[in-house]
Amino acid sequence: MAQVQRMSRLMVKTLRDDPADAETLSHKLLVRAGYVRRTAAGIWSWLPLGKKVLDNISQIVREEMDAIGAQEVLLPALLPREPYEASGRWEEYGDLLFRLKDRKGADYLLGPTHEEIFTQVVKDQCTSYKDLPVMLYQVQTKYRDEARPRSGVLRGREFVMKDSYSFDTTEEGLAESYALHREAYRKIFARLGLDYRIVSAVSGAMGGSASEEFLAPAAAGEDTFADCPNCGFAANTEAVTFKGAEVDGSAHGPVEELDTPDTPTIESLAEHLGVPASATLKNLLVKVDGEIVAVGVPGDREVDLGKLGEHLAPAVVDLVTAEDFEANPELVRGYVGPQGLKIRYIADPRVAPGTAWVTGANKPDTHARNVVAGRDFEVDDYLDVVVVEEGDPCPNCGQGLHLDRAIEIGHIFQLGRKYADTFQLDVLGQNGKPVRVTMGSYGIGVSRAVAALAEQTADDKGLCWPAEVSPADVHVVAAGKVLQTELALEIADKLAAAGARVLVDDRAGVSPGVKFTDAELIGVPKTVIAGRRSAEGIVELKDRRTGEREELSVEEAVARLT
Ligand code: ATP
Ligand code: MG
Ligand code: MG
Ligand code: MG
């Protein structure tokens, strides 16, 4: 027997007006319908209805992770500094990291993601190749001091993530673990009822090779992805940029390797910039040995550009404009790849006069002169840069790209040996010799998915949940007095006995009109109304999405809904 939740006892206060600070649809509706309550900027309390949706999503995620053989664990959110120091991320994360001290003055952080700690756990628990492969996951609270947590639970400073990690001894093993996750994610997002696209992604602050994002197209999304209607290529625009730098001359005009006597290495560049060699940069223009070098690198928002800006201050004194570019066709564009710094001349069509070859900085279509990121403009403005524009050539087939906004709901990475190297994660191989482990990491924004679903499914009346995530299966409304309330409770019990999760609006002294409006705002997929014809045992069945209504006997209604 499933549960009957009476509205008369449910802690929910619906609001007629949008909260003043809300910009996105999901933010407005989740607050108005009483699902969440803002506690501080980017920090949210989950109220009973919201908690149900969050739990339903977590449950689906757990089932599909278990189905691929991943094991659930729970690691701490409060973490010691040392492992993050070892990986370089204590510094690299910059302002994004919540750092704190204990009573003895020792440094701690609130985990933004857990590669380091999982690597340590596996190093401790798995010693032989026979212990691998292993896949571990947790559904846990993460902390990131986001620059502008604006959009409700879409971008929290505290949020719930499912993160998982795979550990294999071979490349094929890693590819297999990655493929299993990719498949599990497809099932999860299909069950959630999300419209999503899988696009290739940059690997960002994680470091590593293959990486894809699961993006939910929505106007409120902060990511832009490019989509080729011709060949099916789809990538986050950040990734297209990187690919643009990587492809050979055919798509971008002539490409020449720059002939320099001492080609800078990652190490020498890092030293020059004063950052760890593991740092990832993004579209920074720097002078190296007096030469302007445009370094287009796979980047992520985690990189502490503010700090980087300080280090770069002497170098970033004279960034180029589109006109500079026009006047200096020999300007070099390069990128840091896995093999070191490669510098190439690229005659890029995006560098055509009048168009921005890289937009951003503090003004569209230009790069700023004499500015320092973090000091002279908001780091986030710079990082929200969209390099690719509508109609730009597809790096795959050359046809015009189409751009769309989307919400990043999941991200899968083949990390490789970055963290295994840091922590010397080896297991004894078949031949008795140690083998270095190779890793994958995989995330889903569980709390973000609540908002992403709201964005995609809500209409002008309110929320409108897909069946599996809805806080209830049926919303029964007593539209009248004693008789209607009795009938509503009777139907609720019958539905629950047949396995449906029921919300019943039995509130006394609340008008049917208010109850209907609330039901639409709350967004349970089916409504049963005990109204005018209650004495005859006739109720109305209403579909939240289509608004279609039908009169049925109580028995018919129960049979239809269970
Ligand atoms: P974004 O680009 O939106 O900042 P991210 O790339 O930094 O996200 P990942 O490190 O890939 O995020 O984390 C895995 C998943 O966690 C993301 O795909 C996203 O769904 C979720 N997530 C990340 N940051 C937040 C946040 N601040 N609030 C809610 N969910 C988040
Ligand atoms: Mg981020
Ligand atoms: Mg991202
Ligand atoms: Mg990501």
Side-chain angles (χ1 to χ4, degrees), residues 213 223 236 238 300-301 408 411:
E213 285 170 350
D223 279 73
N236 195 305
E238 295 168 1
D300 203 51
R301 290 166 191 156
E408 181 187 324
H411 198 164

Side-chain angles (χ1 to χ4, degrees), residues 144 146 153-156 159 161 206 223 300-302 408-411 413 443-445 447-448:
R144 297 181 184 182
E146 302 278 2
V153 297
L154 263 183
R155 183 173 297 281
F159 60 98
M161 196 202 289
M206 301 285 184
D223 279 73
D300 203 51
R301 290 166 191 156
E302 280 78 2
E408 181 187 324
I409 46 169
H411 198 164
F413 288 93
I444 289 182
S447 50
R448 176 176 288 186

Side-chain angles (χ1 to χ4, degrees), residues 327-338:
N328 299 284
E330 78 286 2
L331 272 180
V332 169
R333 188 165 180 214
Y335 71 99
V336 179

Side-chain angles (χ1 to χ4, degrees), residues 33-51:
Y35 280 66
V36 297
R37 179 182 180 279
R38 183 182 177 280
T39 295
I43 303 177
W44 291 87
S45 299
W46 293 85
L47 303 178
L49 288 173
K51 178 67 164 54

Side-chain angles (χ1 to χ4, degrees), residues 34-115:
Y35 280 66
V36 297
R37 179 182 180 279
R38 183 182 177 280
T39 295
I43 303 177
W44 291 87
S45 299
W46 293 85
L47 303 178
L49 288 173
K51 178 67 164 54
K52 282 202 165 70
V53 175
L54 191 65
D55 284 350
N56 292 343
I57 294 176
S58 307
Q59 180 58 25
I60 291 172
V61 170
R62 285 195 166 95
E63 285 171 17
E64 298 301 338
M65 293 311 296
D66 292 344
I68 60 167
Q71 303 172 62
E72 182 165 5
V73 294
L74 184 58
L75 271 47
L78 178 60
L79 302 170
R81 168 178 177 159
E82 290 72 23
Y84 286 79
E85 185 79 51
S87 69
R89 295 208 288 190
W90 175 263
E91 284 292 323
E92 254 175 60
Y93 265 119
D95 291 339
L96 205 78
L97 202 61
F98 278 104
R99 299 176 180 80
L100 63 160
K101 287 190 190 294
D102 72 5
R103 60 170 75 206
K104 295 188 182 124
D107 285 317
Y108 287 80
L109 62 124
L110 297 176
T113 171
H114 278 69
E115 281 74 8

